[in-house]
Every structure is written in C-alpha cells, then in structure tokens.
Amino acid sequence: MNNPTTFNSLTRRSFLTCTAAGAGALGLASMHARAEGEKKTYPKGKAEHCIFLWLGGGAAHMDTWDPKRLGNPQKKVAGSAYPAINTAIPGVQLCEHLKATANLLDRFALLRTVNHDIIDEHAAATNFVHTGRRPTGTITYPSIGSLVAHERGTLADGVPPYVVIGYPMIMRGPGYLGAKHSYVYLTDTEKGPAGLTRPPYVNTARQADREQLLGELRKGYSARNQGDKVIADYDEAVGASFALAGGDFMAAFKLDGEAAALRTAYGGEFGQRCLLARRLVQRGVRFIEVSFNLNFINGTGWDTHNDGQLKQHILIQQLDQGLATLVTDLEKNRLLDKTLIVVATEFGRPPEFDGGGGRGHQGKTFSWALAGGGLKMGQAVGETDELAKHPVSHPMSVPDVHATIHCALGINPAKNLYDGPRPVPITDRGEPARQLFT
C-alpha cells in the first residue's frame, strides 16, 4: 500500500489529522440527525394528563395482556397460567382474570411487542423504561414524568405537575432538568404527602414564624450562591411546597368525600390509588404515577418467581377492578379523552416455569396497555410468536413507546432539551405508533 497514513508509516501529525477528521464527521452526523429529528413531522395529540400505572416487578404478559396456549405450572408445561377470554375487540383475547377490562377493551390499545435488551434485572430495567435511556456516566436522564412536567407544566396554580403515589426512586426523578421538575410523592392515600401536612402541635402562628425564619435563611443562602442553578431550582421547589400545603391540592386526598359505592367499586389499596389519581387529574396534575407495589398480596408482587405465581391471579383481579373502574369513572366525568392511561412494567416473563412453579424475567418481548387520551383505541399493536417470546410484527422499543406517550400529550419527542450546553432529544430516536393517531 502506498497510503502515507497506513499503520506502519503513521506519524503523530497524520494520526491527529485522521482522528480529528473522524471525530468531526461523527459530530456533524450527530448534529445532522438531531436537526433532522426536530424537522420531522410527528402526530400531535390532545391529551392533557397521563396516569401511569406502574406494575413494578415484571408483570407476566402471557398471563395478562397477551395470552397464549394454556400451560401448567405444576407439570412445568410452558404457556399461559390461565385460560383466555374474548373481549370487546373482535379477535383479541385477555386472561380470564381481566374480565371487567375485557368488556371495555374497545377503549384500549394493547402494545404487545414492547422490548429491550437491557439486562433482565429490576433496577436497570426500571431505570430504562422510566427514562428511555441507557446510563452514560455523564448525564443523569430525566424520567418521562419529569419530561412531561417540564414540557406541559401544571393546569392550575398551587398544584404540582407531577405526583408519584408510591415510594420515591431516583429513576422517577428529574435528572438534568433539576429539582423544579421533580415529583411530589405519597404512600398514604388518605393523608397525602407527609411533608405537606402540618403536625397538630404546630399552630398557624408558629408555622408562620417558621416560614419567615426559613425565608430569611433561603434568601441569604441564595444571595451567597448566585448563579448556582441547583440551589436556585431547590429554592424554587421549597417555595412551591408552601403553596401546595395551603391550597386546593391537599383537598384531593379527602377520599371520604366520594360516594361509598364508588370507593367500593374501585376496590382495595391499588383501586383507592386509582381513585386518587382521578381526583388529582381534576385538580390539574399533568402526570400521576400510581405504583402497584403491594407485595404482601402474594409475597412477591409482580415478580412472580416460585410461590409468587400461586396468588398472581389476585394481583390481576385487583388490577382489573381498579383499572376498569378508573376508565369508566374518567369517562363518566368526561375526562377519558383528555387523560392517557398507561399500564407499564419493566419487563415481562418467559412462558417457561421455574423449579418452584413461577417465572423468570424477559425483556425481549412484553406488553404495555394504553387507554383513553383521545387516541384511536380498540386495537392490538404488534403480534408475538406462539409463546410470546419474540415479536412477529411491529416491534416497539421503549423509546418508541415514550414517543407515543409524548405525542399523545402534544409533545415533540425529537425536541432538543439541554444539559448545560449539550443538546439532548426528549427521546432516543423514538418513533410513535402512528396507527393510534387519527
């Protein structure tokens, strides 16, 4: 070869020239891809709110949204654990324990080919499906809830844009967007966020004194740290918390104001969380994540290894009761077309049963469900093979699902946000399921 920059004749100058040219080409290609993404036309939905029902642990898709041939846990015959039933969508079936939802399935779209290749471990997969991004070590990516809060804000003063009903986790957080776009969380549906409730021994006058003293400390600290965005965001979040504590927001947690028959219809703790989500929507909250983390029901929650499979049907029945009532309740209040319901999990489970009669983890194919949001419902998007192990048609990546949710809420999934000077698109090249948009 007579190329002067082959390995044997490579000089320091020619090496730097070649690598600089390559890096420049890569940078230009990346900039071009971002620019093309922002120019691309995306569907723009009219949903105002999102209720994100989180089945943490890995819900078995073939035992819920994508039933297949009947298996046998005792004999270790691969397949669904329960018989399938017909639904309001001709040709589409669900597990027999989703009876109420089956009758309402024309208000739903099933995403049966969601997939990722993240290690089938809970923390990594949970982070990925909340952020739609792999960790890089240089950026802390925001959750989908924080992104919606950032882009859409709140619909009313004195109400947070983002609420989590469940335990706090970093993967639900705002990442580089800052504390202003984080969530308010609670675990007690009757009392609301603990940090916003004044102890009985602190009267109004004493509270006012405390707020005045804190205000002076905040003002002084901010003055000494001007230009620090983290401190500024945190100070703004502290100020917003005072407005939340005294406004209409806290009235949302007075569930005893609802009719007894409706509360009974919603069912147990998960159902009451769904009822609270509807009340938060009515007060202007944009994004509510409702965690179904009630592991005491079967000992494992949705992570149905070994004996967890034995009472999995109780979890599914409670999901069915709360979800179906939420759909009809939103519909009755003329909120279903304005509210996108998302039923999500970090991965599915394989059709094979483990030694204890349960199931392991499977990220290569699993199901999410959508309802309402003004989308074109009454369909199943994608098809899996005979045992729901692989997509057969229309595979959907997690960024694709995120793009679908963002588009439903009127957000451009390719829009660039910024971590300092670095542009970061809202999704990682996600493409929405366009058949859901009319």
Side-chain angles (χ1 to χ4, degrees), residues 60-384:
H61 52 297
M62 81 293 302
D63 289 343
T64 50
W65 307 112
D66 192 12
K68 299 296 182 179
R69 73 184 188 214
L70 197 60
N72 189 312
Q74 288 75 36
K75 295 182 179 180
K76 308 298 185 292
V77 177
S80 295
Y82 317 109
I85 57 174
N86 292 328
T87 71
I89 305 176
V92 176
Q93 294 188 314
L94 294 182
C95 150
E96 66 173 355
H97 297 298
L98 290 169
K99 292 179 182 178
T101 303
N103 292 329
L104 300 170
L105 207 64
D106 54 347
R107 282 85 153 176
F108 283 78
L110 304 181
L111 310 182
R112 284 179 160 172
T113 53
V114 183
N115 66 89
H116 62 67
D117 59 2
I118 300 297
I119 183 173
D120 288 337
E121 183 273 328
H122 296 288
T126 297
N127 182 73
F128 185 67
V129 300
H130 274 80
T131 65
R133 303 274 186 166
R134 299 172 183 273
T136 64
T138 58
I139 299 179
T140 303
Y141 292 105
S143 67
I144 188 169
S146 288
L147 284 166
V148 171
H150 179 271
E151 291 299 297
R152 297 301 308 270
T154 185
L155 278 168
D157 293 335
V159 175
Y162 178 20
V163 173
V164 170
I165 307 175
Y167 295 105
M169 297 190 303
I170 190 170
M171 52 275 285
R172 289 174 170 147
Y176 66 79
L177 294 176
K180 177 181 177 181
H181 303 290
S182 190
Y183 54 83
V184 172
Y185 84 94
L186 62 124
T187 57
D188 189 329
T189 54
E190 299 283 353
K191 295 181 180 179
L196 299 180
T197 304
R198 193 169 69 201
Y201 57 83
V202 178
N203 59 30
T204 303
R206 190 174 178 186
Q207 177 70 19
D209 288 343
R210 289 183 172 190
E211 291 183 17
Q212 181 181 0
L213 176 59
L214 179 60
E216 292 172 0
L217 293 172
R218 287 167 54 201
K219 184 177 180 180
Y221 193 76
S222 297
R224 293 192 299 274
N225 294 274
Q226 292 184 24
D228 191 316
K229 184 177 182 299
V230 174
I231 292 175
D233 285 347
Y234 181 77
D235 186 64
E236 186 172 353
V238 171
S241 69
F242 291 129
L244 298 182
D248 185 51
F249 173 62
M250 293 302 291
F253 304 99
K254 297 179 180 178
L255 298 184
D256 55 3
E258 297 285 346
L262 181 62
R263 295 197 66 180
T264 300
Y266 268 103
E269 174 61 22
F270 172 69
Q272 299 308 301
R273 292 181 177 192
C274 290
L275 171 57
L276 175 57
R278 188 220 79 202
R279 291 172 63 87
L280 292 172
V281 163
Q282 289 177 311
R283 281 159 177 79
V285 179
R286 287 285 188 188
F287 194 99
I288 304 109
E289 179 166 340
V290 179
S291 180
F292 193 160
N293 59 346
L294 310 175
N295 294 355
F296 61 84
I297 294 173
N298 66 337
T300 65
W302 297 99
D303 192 21
T304 52
H305 298 284
N306 301 315
D307 290 346
Q309 182 77 27
L310 297 176
K311 294 184 178 180
Q312 178 189 231
H313 64 283
I314 300 177
L315 291 174
I316 300 170
Q317 290 166 357
Q318 292 194 6
L319 169 65
D320 182 50
Q321 182 177 5
L323 175 59
T325 305
L326 177 61
V327 169
T328 55
D329 194 16
L330 286 170
E331 198 168 54
K332 180 181 177 181
N333 285 278
R334 299 182 180 180
L335 290 168
L336 185 59
D337 282 344
K338 299 178 182 178
T339 306
L340 179 67
I341 301 172
V342 181
V343 186
T345 192
E346 68 263 44
F347 41 60
R349 310 196 87 81
E352 298 85 7
F353 295 97
D354 60 29
R359 302 187 194 271
H361 301 165
Q362 177 180 292
K364 56 191 175 184
T365 301
F366 55 103
S367 299
W368 284 21
L370 309 179
L375 299 183
K376 187 178 179 181
M377 295 300 180
Q379 59 180 310
V381 178
E383 182 183 355
T384 58

